[in-house]
Every structure is written in structure tokens, then in C-alpha cells.
DNA sequence: GACGGAATTT
DNA sequence: AAATTCCGTC
């Protein structure tokens, strides 16, 4: 809960682990891919398309890459979206330490929640002078 | 499939 | 800045 932050992450009590809820603040800019991924992961209706992997915390499997790409393309109004392009966007998250690949496991990635939470709850934002923008994801 | 450079788009 | 598009390489 950082003032001026675009994203809000919260723990869902009682939900099966790993449980994280993300929503975008109203009037915020365009949805980001990792928001969208977490959004799908949250909803039971997409369990057959994308789902958390039991065992490794934050690890998820894209069970239907074509469908995830189609849903992402629909959200962004990019009808030409496919898994090749979507996965390139996911690969850009490696350097940002938002995601990394689970090597050897097909269509399997893992959220770096420890780093993500540090980015979102940046302590610097708590002692930020007025007018100075917070770090945005 | 997975990776990452490069040019381009929004 | 965060993808999107395209593509050569392994």
C-alpha cells in the first residue's frame, strides 16, 4: 500500500498457496503482462489454461500457450498476439527479476515475489519528498 | 521450445 | 518504459 503506486498486492487469507491478489488502481495506465498473468492465476475459471505449480512457491505452468496468448491479445487489442511474442515479453522480465524460467520444465516460469514485493513496497517511497514520484511497475 | 538482439510501436 | 514484431541461433 504505497501512495501513488499503480499496483496493490495483498495476501488472500485461506486461499491455497501461493495466493497473491493484484489489481490496478482505477485510472492507472495500461495493464502489464505480469499483472495479467497473476490475474488469470487468481481465477479458477482459467485453471485449465494457466495454473500454479504445487511445490515450488510462485511457479506456474502455461497449460495452453495459444489460449493465454489469445486472451492477452484480446486484452491489449493485439489480435496477432501469439506465444512466441508473449514469451519474448516474459523473457524481458528475467533481467528485471520479476520472473525467471524453470529450466527443463516446458512452459514453466516462476515469479520472483521477494524481489517484486521489494519493488512494490520500496522503503524509499516512505521517505519520499512531496512531488517525487514513487517507483512504478 | 527457449533465448536474446534489434528495430519499431504505443 | 513496456511491450510488439521479427528473426537468427542453439
Amino acid at each position: 500500500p504505497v501512495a501513488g503506486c499503480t499496483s496493490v498486492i495483498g495476501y488472500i487469507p485461506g486461499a491455497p498457496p501461493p495466493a497473491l491478489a493484484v489489481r490496478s488502481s482505477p485510472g492507472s495506465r495500461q495493464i502489464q503482462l505480469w499483472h495479467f498473468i497473476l490475474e488469470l492465476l487468481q481465477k479458477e475459471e482459467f485453471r485449465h489454461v494457466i495454473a500454479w505449480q504445487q511445490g515450488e512457491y510462485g511457479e506456474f505452468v502455461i497449460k495452453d500457450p495459444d489460449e493465454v496468448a489469445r486472451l492477452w491479445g484480446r486484452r491489449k487489442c493485439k489480435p496477432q498476439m501469439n506465444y512466441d511474442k508473449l514469451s519474448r515479453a516474459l523473457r524481458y522480465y528475467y533481467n528485471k527479476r520479476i520472473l525467471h524460467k524453470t529450466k527443463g520444465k516446458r512452459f514453466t516460469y516462476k515469479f520472483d515475489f521477494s524481489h517484486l514485493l521489494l519493488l512494490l513496497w520500496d522503503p524509499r517511497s516512505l521517505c519520499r519528498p512531496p512531488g517525487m514520484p514513487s517507483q512504478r511497475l
Side-chain angles (χ1 to χ4, degrees):
Chain A
V2 175
C5 194
T6 319
S7 312
V8 178
I9 283 190
Y11 178 66
I12 305 174
L20 280 172
V22 174
R23 62 178 171 80
S24 293
S25 306
S28 66
R29 61 200 203 300
Q30 269 237 304
I31 183 152
Q32 258 151 283
L33 179 55
W34 68 271
H35 289 187
F36 181 75
I37 296 290
L38 285 175
E39 193 178 291
L40 293 182
L41 251 8
Q42 260 173 241
K43 297 174 182 175
E44 191 147 357
E45 49 190 300
F46 298 108
R47 279 276 163 76
H48 293 88
V49 171
I50 187 170
W52 292 116
Q53 188 82 300
Q54 68 283 20
E56 278 295 305
Y57 197 89
E59 193 173 88
F60 64 95
V61 190
I62 298 173
K63 295 179 179 177
D64 189 343
D66 293 339
E67 180 62 5
V68 173
R70 196 191 65 78
L71 292 164
W72 175 235
R74 192 186 63 176
R75 175 66 67 88
K76 288 287 292 289
C77 302
K78 294 281 178 184
Q80 307 309 310
M81 184 50 59
N82 57 34
Y83 181 68
D84 180 55
K85 295 171 188 174
L86 186 148
S87 61
R88 182 68 189 95
L90 292 180
R91 268 175 253 133
Y92 271 125
Y93 287 146
Y94 298 171
N95 289 336
K96 295 181 180 179
R97 295 189 58 192
I98 290 172
L99 281 183
H100 63 79
K101 188 76 182 67
T102 302
K103 287 165 189 174
K105 289 186 182 177
R106 214 162 171 247
F107 307 125
T108 304
Y109 301 82
K110 188 175 171 177
F111 273 100
D112 189 346
F113 283 133
S114 55
H115 193 256
L116 209 45
L117 290 167
L118 281 173
L119 285 176
L120 291 171
W121 278 304
D122 188 346
R124 286 172 299 177
S125 66
L126 298 174
C127 49
R128 162 167 37 88
M132 185 187 174
S134 63
Q135 180 161 12
R136 284 172 179 260
L137 283 174

